[in-house]
Amino acid sequence: GENVEQHPSTLSVQEGDSAVIKCTYSDSASNYFPWYKQELGKRPQLIIDIRSNVGEKKDQRIAVTLNKTAKHFSLHITETQPEDSAVYFCAANKRSSYKLIFGSGTRLLVRP
Amino acid sequence: DTEVTQTPKHLVMGMTNKKSLKCEQHMGHRAMYWYKQKAKKPPELMFVYSYEKLSINESVPSRFSPECPNSSLLNLHLHALQPEDSALYLCASSQVAAGNTEQFFGPGTRLTVL
């Protein structure tokens, strides 16, 4: 069935360093790839998304890249800050489906 | 209004109780979702409503009963729950129930079943 694998499960970086989280999807029909940030006790919030007709998208310190051939997509956070500490979930979906397929999550810790 | 709201924030119930969770959005979205989230896990889809009709039931036990009274409201009726049903219940909405539209999540109801 459809599956999204996410790595690493935990990531600890020094403030100011970059963080990269990687996801791999199984369904080649997937064409929408959102990333959600969930702080402790809070709701998942969309931070960036990418559709399959582009290879990269940036929003300030956050970027997402997509490699459709390899079925990989990655989240890049530059100049990390303590407030970036949270759990990050990648997800994949396709036009014909209502269902977001989530990765297992990455707990990011930014050390001051 | 660009938020999804949920009530109550916390709920403790016994296994014989009947309770309801409520979700509301005023963004004009026509798709609404219920998710269940256990600690340290991703949200798990339970139900999808599209234009107030139930479109997906992810094989959820009948002790969970969804209801969509109108395009802005979504309820989840709970009856005879088990302790393993304790979790964060998230509501979400999107413009339409299509695969490439952003889903907006509510803050969730933290449910504890004793």
Side-chain angles (χ1 to χ4, degrees):
Chain A
E2 301 161 359
N3 186 46
V4 175
E5 292 190 1
Q6 183 172 347
H7 299 282
S9 57
T10 58
L11 180 58
S12 180
V13 300
Q14 195 71 38
E15 182 178 359
D17 287 350
S18 294
V20 180
I21 302 171
K22 299 182 179 182
C23 290
T24 303
Y25 60 98
S26 61
D27 189 342
S28 56
S30 297
N31 64 350
Y32 175 62
F33 307 93
W35 285 88
Y36 284 88
K37 174 185 180 182
Q38 189 173 25
E39 297 177 57
L40 191 62
K42 301 279 184 70
R43 75 186 79 195
Q45 288 202 295
L46 183 78
I47 54 171
I48 196 166
D49 58 12
I50 192 167
R51 290 176 171 78
S52 59
N53 57 345
V54 297
E56 184 175 5
K57 184 176 178 181
K58 287 184 180 178
D59 183 2
Q60 299 182 347
R61 296 185 298 107
I62 293 173
V64 57
T65 57
L66 172 64
N67 181 331
K68 285 191 295 182
T69 303
K71 292 192 276 188
H72 289 168
F73 59 113
S74 299
L75 178 71
H76 303 254
I77 306 174
T78 59
E79 301 172 24
T80 53
Q81 301 167 3
E83 51 265 38
D84 294 329
S85 296
V87 178
Y88 292 81
F89 293 103
C90 63
N93 203 351
K94 54 190 177 184
R95 195 172 292 114
S96 59
S97 172
Y98 301 153
K99 187 174 179 179
L100 277 174
I101 308 298
F102 283 94
S104 54
T106 296
R107 184 170 299 278
L108 174 64
L109 174 65
V110 180
R111 306 185 306 274
Chain B
D1 189 347
T2 57
E3 276 204 336
V4 177
T5 59
Q6 289 186 243
T7 55
K9 289 185 179 179
H10 302 276
L11 179 62
V12 179
M13 60 186 290
M15 289 189 284
T16 58
N17 292 156
K18 286 185 181 181
K19 297 286 184 182
S20 296
L21 309 184
K22 296 185 183 303
C23 174
E24 192 166 359
Q25 57 87 16
H26 294 288
M27 295 179 278
H29 290 174
R30 303 311 302 267
M32 296 186 79
Y33 310 75
W34 280 115
Y35 287 87
K36 173 182 177 180
Q37 188 178 28
K38 294 284 234 180
K40 301 183 181 180
K41 297 289 187 182
E44 182 183 334
L45 184 66
M46 300 174 71
F47 302 104
V48 180
Y49 273 83
S50 177
Y51 293 89
E52 295 114 70
K53 292 191 189 318
L54 183 64
S55 298
I56 291 183
N57 175 340
E58 288 282 308
S59 302
V60 179
S62 60
R63 57 186 184 270
F64 296 91
S65 175
E67 179 196 18
C68 190
N70 60 55
S71 61
S72 299
L73 294 174
L74 186 65
N75 298 323
L76 186 62
H77 304 296
L78 314 173
H79 172 56
L81 294 193
Q82 305 296 310
E84 58 265 29
D85 296 322
S86 298
L88 180 68
Y89 287 85
L90 293 161
C91 174
S93 71
S94 62
Q95 280 190 332
V96 292
N100 57 357
T101 57
E102 178 181 352
Q103 291 187 23
F104 293 80
F105 284 87
T109 293
R110 173 103 24 217
L111 174 67
T112 303
V113 181
L114 301 176

